[in-house]
Structure formats: structure tokens, C-alpha cells
């Protein structure tokens, strides 16, 4: 049985290819704009480039929104594959089915972050009325386009190499306590999590761009391990069930989507100001309030399950 016989995978790859083609078509106009743009002159060429700019913006915005939606469709497709791949009980087994899965997932998350940054810069560029950020915006788009083209080849390699006859390892085997970072115990991991969370709030509130960037990156890293090895066991109410993906399933009311989306949004807004300033040399500090909001929502959701379990049972797992 070939993995591409599954309808979800066929539809997913087909849409991805269409979006890449749209972006490559836009690239022709992007190159012309980068080469000839001069907003201070009133020539027929400049007028033509301005019209192209609006068209390209529309196409790119459309494809970016589709790419972000497709990320969730990708997660759904992996969930569907867990019913096909032998030995896989959830997304963990499917992701770990070959050497490309984890890298592909990380690449997709990184691309979604970069697409979000582009949307913010594009909005700033349009609001400037004189398109003062148009060149760095499109140079950044070229970088994203390169990543997306690379992503397509990576996706094909991943799906082609998903084994359908050989059993794969799943979460019970993949996620063990000895995989905790820096030799931390579960309790020390939880304490570290809350300490870093407090620092992200402080630096975001004080609008310290560099420190917020660094601590949000660290928060993303430590949050992954905290959800996987500490908070998840309170969601499953099983001390030996440690998995960052099973919480996405309907048995747990899809709470994983709320957990991971709030975390990614909190970290995204926490690191955006630094990246935007690096790209266009403009300070954007109003994004920090969203970082505080979503990081707090994420932490409250995770903490809720621990508190509820303790109230009901009087002990921690």
C-alpha cells in the first residue's frame, strides 16, 4: 500500500504544490520590484510596479493564510496516518516513523513563524503609505520561499518513506523520563518552567526586546519538555503516559490544540519584535501584550490540570 493512496495526503500535497506555484509566479514580479522600485519617481514603469505590488501582496497574503491553515491539516493528516502505520497509536509514532518526520515538523513550525513575521512587516509597509519597507519585505519573502520549496521536497521524502509494513515505535517508547534536559527531575522541570515563565512576563512587560526574544525561545524549549513529561500526565491522569501529541485527540477534548496554539502565539509575539527590528530597523513594542496574554493562557491551561488533580486526590502524580 502506497502512502499516497490516502486521500488526505493526496489533497494535502496537491494544495501545497499549488501554493508553491502561486508563490513562484509572484516571484517574477518580486524580482522586478526589487530591481526597479523607486517610489520617488513618477514613471510608467514605477506605476506598473505599484500595481504589481498590490497584486503580489494579495497573492502572497492568500498563500500565507493557506499555508498556516495547511499546518493544522498536516497535523490532522498525521493523526489519520496513525490508523494506517503499524505500531503507531498517535502522531508520535507517525512523526518518528522515519528520519525526516521530526525535522519536517520543526521546519513547518519555523516557516509558520516566519510567515507571521512577514504579515506584520507587510502591514507596516502598507501603513507607511510610501512602502518604505518594500525591499526588506521582499528579500525576506525570498528567504521564506526558499524554505517552502525545500519543505515540499522534504514532505515527499517523508511521506514516501513512511513504513506501512514494519511496526514503528510510539509514545510509550519514544518519551521516557531519562530524556529530560539538563538531567532535571519532573519536579525540577516544573519549577524551572514557572521561573522562566515569570521572566518572560517581566521582560515582555518591560519591553526588553533582546531579553524577551531569548527567554521566549528558552520558554518554548522548556515548555515542550514540561508538557511532555510533567503536565501531560495530569491530562491523561496516568503517570506513565508521557506524550505531547495524544492531547490533540478527541478523547482529551482536543485540549492539546489550545495548549500548543497558545504557546506558539505567546512565543511568536515575544520574539517578533526582535526579528522585525533586525529586518527593518523599526521598534515594535505593542506585540508584547499579546505575548503576555497567550503565554499566560498557556500556563493557566497547563496548571489547571495539576491543580484539579491535587484538589480531587490530595497528592501529585
Amino acid at each position: 500500500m502506497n502512502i499516497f493512496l490516502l486521500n488526505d495526503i493526496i489533497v494535502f500535497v496537491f494544495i501545497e504544490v499549488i501554493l508553491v506555484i502561486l508563490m513562484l509566479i509572484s516571484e517574477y514580479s518580486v524580482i522586478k520590484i526589487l530591481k526597479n522600485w523607486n517610489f520617488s519617481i513618477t514613471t510608467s514603469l514605477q506605476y506598473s510596479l505599484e500595481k504589481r505590488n498590490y497584486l503580489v501582496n494579495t497573492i502572497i497574503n492568500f498563500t500565507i493564510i493557506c499555508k498556516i491553515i495547511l499546518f493544522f491539516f498536516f497535523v490532522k493528516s498525521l493523526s489519520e496516518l496513525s490508523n494506517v502505520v503499524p505500531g503507531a497509536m498517535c502522531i508520535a509514532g507517525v512523526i518518528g516513523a522515519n528520519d525526516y518526520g521530526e525535522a519536517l515538523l520543526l521546519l513547518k513550525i519555523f516557516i509558520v513563524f516566519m510567515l507571521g513575521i512577514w504579515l506584520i512587516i507587510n502591514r507596516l509597509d502598507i501603513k507607511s503609505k510610501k512602502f518604505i519597507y518594500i525591499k526588506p519585505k521582499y528579500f525576506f519573502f525570498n528567504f521564506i520561499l526558499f524554505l517552502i520549496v525545500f519543505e515540499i521536497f522534504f514532505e515527499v521524502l517523508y511521506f514516501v518513506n513512511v513504513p506501512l509494513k514494519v511496526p514503528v515505535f510510539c509514545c510509550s517508547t519514544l518519551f521516557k523520563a531519562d530524556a529530560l534536559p539538563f538531567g532535571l527531575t519532573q519536579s525540577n522541570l516544573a519549577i524551572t518552567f514557572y521561573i522562566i515563565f515569570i521572566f518572560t512576563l517581566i521582560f515582555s512587560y518591560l519591553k526588553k526586546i533582546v531579553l524577551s526574544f531569548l527567554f521566549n525561545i528558552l520558554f518554548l524549549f522548556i515548555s515542550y519538555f514540561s508538557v511532555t513529561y510533567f503536565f501531560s500526565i495530569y491530562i491523561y491522569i496516568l503517570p506513565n503516559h508521557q506524550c505531547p501529541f495524544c492531547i490533540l485527540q478527541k478523547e482529551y477534548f482536543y485540549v492539546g490544540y489550545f495548549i500548543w496554539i497558545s504557546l506558539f502565539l505567546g512565543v511568536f509575539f515575544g520574539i517578533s519584535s526582535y526579528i522585525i527590528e533586525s529586518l527593518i530597523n523599526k521598534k515594535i513594542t505593542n506585540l508584547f501584550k499579546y505575548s503576555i496574554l497567550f503565554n499566560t493562557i498557556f500556563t493557566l491551561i497547563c496548571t489547571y490540570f495539576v491543580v484539579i488533580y491535587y484538589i480531587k486526590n490530595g497528592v501529585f502524580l
Side-chain angles (χ1 to χ4, degrees), residues 106-118:
L106 291 173
L107 176 62
K108 282 185 170 293
I109 293 172
F110 181 72
I111 288 174
V112 169
F113 273 49
M114 294 300 100
L115 293 174
I117 297 291
W118 192 92

Side-chain angles (χ1 to χ4, degrees), residues 58-272:
T58 302
I59 295 173
I60 294 176
N61 279 323
F62 170 76
T63 54
I64 285 176
I65 293 170
C66 288
K67 283 290 293 181
I68 293 172
I69 295 173
L70 275 178
F71 176 79
F72 296 100
F73 189 79
F74 174 72
V75 174
K76 176 184 176 297
S77 298
L78 295 181
S79 182
E80 294 294 327
L81 281 176
S82 65
N83 299 318
V84 177
V85 178
M89 294 178 289
C90 67
I91 295 175
V94 181
I95 283 290
N98 58 49
D99 295 333
Y100 304 103
E102 292 181 4
L104 177 61
L105 181 61
L106 291 173
L107 176 62
K108 282 185 170 293
I109 293 172
F110 181 72
I111 288 174
V112 169
F113 273 49
M114 294 300 100
L115 293 174
I117 297 291
W118 192 92
L119 288 173
I120 295 173
I121 295 175
N122 183 53
R123 185 177 179 184
L124 292 171
D125 185 49
I126 293 172
K127 285 178 66 177
S128 70
K129 305 260 175 121
K130 294 184 178 180
F131 304 103
I132 58 177
Y133 306 119
I134 194 165
K135 288 194 174 182
K137 175 182 74 175
Y138 283 135
F139 278 123
F140 187 48
F141 167 77
N142 287 338
F143 168 69
I144 295 173
L145 179 58
F146 168 78
L147 292 177
I148 291 174
V149 171
F150 180 70
E151 176 195 21
I152 285 289
F153 290 105
F154 219 59
E155 281 175 350
V156 173
L157 284 173
Y158 167 69
F159 286 125
V160 166
N161 288 282
V162 172
L164 296 177
K165 295 182 179 179
V166 181
V168 300
F169 295 112
C170 205
C171 50
S172 59
T173 303
L174 294 173
F175 303 105
K176 297 179 180 179
D178 57 5
L180 291 174
F182 312 122
L184 293 171
T185 62
Q186 282 184 320
S187 56
N188 288 336
L189 177 65
I191 293 170
T192 304
F193 167 82
Y194 285 108
I195 290 173
I196 295 174
F197 167 67
I198 290 170
F199 275 109
T200 62
L201 294 186
I202 292 171
F203 294 132
S204 293
Y205 179 77
L206 296 175
K207 300 178 180 178
K208 300 294 184 180
I209 292 177
V210 176
L211 289 173
S212 178
F213 173 83
L214 294 174
F215 271 85
N216 270 281
I217 294 293
L218 183 58
F219 186 61
L220 177 63
F221 174 78
I222 208 70
S223 292
Y224 165 77
F225 286 98
S226 298
V227 171
T228 302
Y229 296 101
F230 180 73
F231 294 113
S232 68
I233 65 176
Y234 289 93
I235 298 174
Y236 306 131
I237 318 181
L238 289 170
N240 295 320
H241 189 181
Q242 299 166 327
C243 179
F245 300 113
C246 287
I247 55 177
L248 299 169
Q249 297 178 352
K250 64 180 179 181
E251 290 83 359
Y252 304 101
F253 305 102
Y254 305 106
V255 69
Y257 287 98
F258 296 97
I259 288 174
W260 293 120
I261 289 173
S262 58
L263 172 63
F264 290 153
L265 286 174
V267 171
F268 170 75
F269 288 116
I271 68 174
S272 293

Side-chain angles (χ1 to χ4, degrees), residues 32 36-37 41-50 52:
K32 291 199 72 172
N36 301 298
W37 183 271
I41 62 175
T42 55
T43 62
S44 59
L45 175 59
Q46 178 61 25
Y47 179 67
S48 173
L49 293 176
E50 289 173 19
R52 281 177 179 268

